[in-house]
Amino acid sequence: MNISTMNISTTNLATMNARDPADSTVQVTQWLHQFASALTTQDTLALGDLLAADAHWRDLLAFSWNIETHNGFDAITSMLGRRLSAVKPSRLRLAKGRTAPRRVMRAGREVIEAIFEFETADGHAEGVLRLVPDSSASTGLRAWIVLTALRSLAIVPAQPGAHSPAINDYSRDFGGENWLDKRNRARAYADHDPAVLVIGAGQAGLAAAARLNALGIDTLIIDRNARIGDNWRKRYHALTLHNEVHVNHLPFMPFPANWPVFIPKDKLANWFEAYVESLDLNCWTASELVEGSWHEADQCWHVIVERGDGTRRLLKPRHLVFATGVSAMAQMPALPGLDTFGGTVLHSGQYTEGAGWKGRNVLVLGTGNSGHDVAQDLHSSGAHVTLIQRSPTYVVSIREAQRVYALYAEGIPIDDCDLIATAMPYPVLRDAYQFSTAVSREADQALLEGLSSRGFRLTFGDDDTGFQMMYLRRGGGYYFNVGCSDLIVDGRVGLLQFEQIDQWVPQGVRLKDSSLLPAELLVVATGYKNQQEVVRASLGDTVADRVGPVWDFDEGGELRNMWRPTAQPGLWFTAGSLAQCRIFSHYLALQIQARLRQNTGK
């Protein structure tokens, strides 16, 4: 299972040269001064002196109340012309207490990178600049990339029922409610409805609920599993995360410094459980959304939640957040003759361990991370394993895969890393991933040649952008090699192309050359359905069709329907890696807060 971080630069962050950092600070300050003046006067000519012709402006709520990117000078100035009078940006300055301006490489380009802050009509905002040298500009610099992001809303009256613990909330009250009494009452929802209902208690749901809770928004999480963390706890025995610990913190509670570099699934599952208790998050386990409908007149949902004891509750939240992830509903392909197969069939999400298959013939269909990991686990348990490849797969060594997370190993504060990570618009992100993939391909050359010699079909992505773009576009199609590729190269794990199969038969699979490959177990590692189908199952066709597909990039270079308004009022989506969930839960929560507190459709 991949845990991938969106919009992280893939280039080395080493200092470009030994110039005095104070020089960069002076240059950025001068540029910001002129930029502020140009915005105030809406002077397009002045902006032309400050922005590169190929500039990109990514905005996270600060100017647009959306997540969107504008590419090129004309698109940027058009956006500013429409929005400056309402946004009223002011007090642009270098951000205090943040990483100082520094000279770095981004997607093969030398830049000065700086974090700045400013005020808008709606609240406090921050941003990232990437400035490139240009002797024709009056400041000697032009902006190649600008990120603007809303940090917090201006103080407004709290919504009735919103609550943030105060210093006296849990003081001694002899004869009255103690902390546990209040917590039990809050999460029972016996006499009120949550403002927000979050479906799913994985990293997406927990991060969203934590952000909302911190803003004083009454939020309930429901999860169909019996325990919080079971979405990880119940996965296969050997599972650990495929990226390093410093990338993967949740909001407000970073992992302890002594945690392993690659987090084991059960350790993460237990942390999720502790996270809910520590942050006073309201959660119903063994609970599932059965059905629901949007009531326009009341501007809220009417949803039925079935509890573990079989009882049902009607809840009327104003917002639903689907946090079921990109792996909610198993995708089971139609396989010829499978109904005649006499062995056991499992989806990879159901597979736990291979001890019971020692000495027996096993097939694993699918060559992504799960397929390879399951095959390696079965082989290590003594099973005779054949991996079936359906389509070309990107393979990268686990060491090289960490290249895309280099920013988080630089030692700067994680909040700065997260902000910098979002400042990578789609066109530049694509270029950066092409560079990273090319470097990794060269480093892994011997491994890749060994796989090719065994008949393993390789790909490097539609445009040679590697696993990150494959994850963001389709949610899979790659493998981080932690040993299974070596087993394939050595012939210890067999390899079969799906095209060689005629049909499944009671004893296994019959191949097109009429030979029989015996098997007693088939593990299907073929991925999961789109979140649109999760909505269809619980809210019906009308809502699902109105929302449309979730995930993959839209025409503007942003993930479709993720962390921003959908075509269905009051319906939101969040998913992805721990880093994605940590970063974008902030912007999701701000949008919901604005709607609840200001009753605005912005």
Side-chain angles (χ1 to χ4, degrees), residues 49-369:
D49 185 53
L50 295 164
L51 299 173
D54 63 343
H56 307 275
W57 188 311
R58 191 174 194 216
D59 184 62
L60 309 179
L61 313 185
F63 277 72
S64 62
W65 271 103
N66 207 336
I67 298 174
E68 61 183 37
T69 301
H70 304 272
N71 301 306
F73 178 78
D74 291 343
I76 291 171
T77 53
S78 176
M79 178 273 290
L80 292 174
R82 295 191 306 272
R83 296 173 180 168
L84 272 175
S85 59
V87 175
K88 298 181 175 61
S90 63
R91 298 187 63 215
L92 271 76
R93 60 211 184 265
L94 282 174
K96 293 182 179 180
R98 309 296 288 269
T99 299
R102 54 185 187 153
R103 297 173 180 272
V104 296
M105 294 289 292
R106 286 283 187 251
R109 197 165 183 176
E110 297 180 354
V111 303
I112 297 177
E113 185 173 81
I115 298 175
F116 66 102
E117 59 187 349
F118 60 104
E119 310 303 323
T120 75
D122 292 310
H124 179 64
E126 58 192 356
V128 173
L129 294 172
R130 294 199 176 107
L131 305 175
V132 294
D134 190 330
S135 59
S136 66
S138 60
T139 61
L141 297 168
R142 280 196 167 94
W144 172 41
I145 292 173
V146 178
L147 170 79
T148 47
L150 188 65
R151 186 68 184 172
S152 60
L153 289 173
I155 296 175
V156 294
Q159 185 77 0
H163 173 70
S164 184
I167 191 168
N168 294 322
D169 279 357
Y170 304 121
S171 297
R172 295 172 184 84
D173 183 10
F174 295 103
E177 288 185 320
N178 67 4
W179 169 84
L180 182 59
D181 296 327
K182 293 180 180 181
R183 288 294 303 126
N184 288 336
R185 177 165 51 83
R187 58 190 164 209
Y189 289 95
D191 56 359
H192 69 290
D193 292 304
V196 182
L197 180 64
V198 176
I199 300 106
Q203 61 262 21
L206 298 187
R211 297 284 192 188
L212 291 162
N213 194 49
L215 294 175
I217 297 170
D218 192 346
T219 302
L220 171 64
I221 315 165
I222 61 171
D223 193 275
R224 62 188 177 189
N225 288 305
R227 287 178 64 189
I228 296 159
D230 274 355
N231 62 312
W232 286 96
R233 193 177 288 110
K234 290 183 175 181
R235 296 298 304 276
Y236 55 90
H237 190 70
L239 176 62
T240 63
L241 271 61
H242 289 93
N243 56 2
E244 296 179 351
V245 63
H246 51 255
V247 183
N248 287 319
H249 305 288
L250 285 169
F252 310 122
M253 271 181 63
F255 299 128
N258 66 345
W259 269 38
V261 173
F262 296 101
I263 306 172
K265 69 177 183 73
D266 297 288
K267 195 173 189 67
L268 185 63
N270 293 343
W271 183 264
F272 281 9
E273 210 162 36
Y275 188 81
V276 167
E277 288 301 317
S278 297
L279 295 185
D280 287 355
L281 305 183
N282 297 329
C283 186
W284 291 355
T285 54
S287 300
E288 194 163 3
L289 177 63
V290 176
E291 60 183 76
S293 59
W294 172 254
H295 285 236
E296 186 68 30
D298 299 333
Q299 289 291 290
C300 71
W301 292 92
H302 288 198
V303 297
I304 302 297
V305 174
E306 185 170 295
R307 306 297 305 275
D309 59 5
T311 60
R312 294 190 170 193
R313 278 284 304 274
L314 170 65
L315 296 174
K316 298 179 181 180
R318 292 192 175 274
H319 296 269
L320 286 183
V321 179
F322 274 80
T324 52
V326 294
S327 56
M329 295 176 65
Q331 181 75 48
M332 295 291 289
L335 301 173
L338 185 61
D339 57 336
T340 70
F341 178 54
T344 301
V345 180
L346 297 174
H347 190 271
S348 57
Q350 299 169 296
Y351 174 83
T352 54
E353 56 184 322
W357 301 98
K358 181 177 182 180
R360 301 161 77 180
N361 296 316
V362 173
L363 301 173
V364 178
L365 175 63
T367 48
N369 269 324

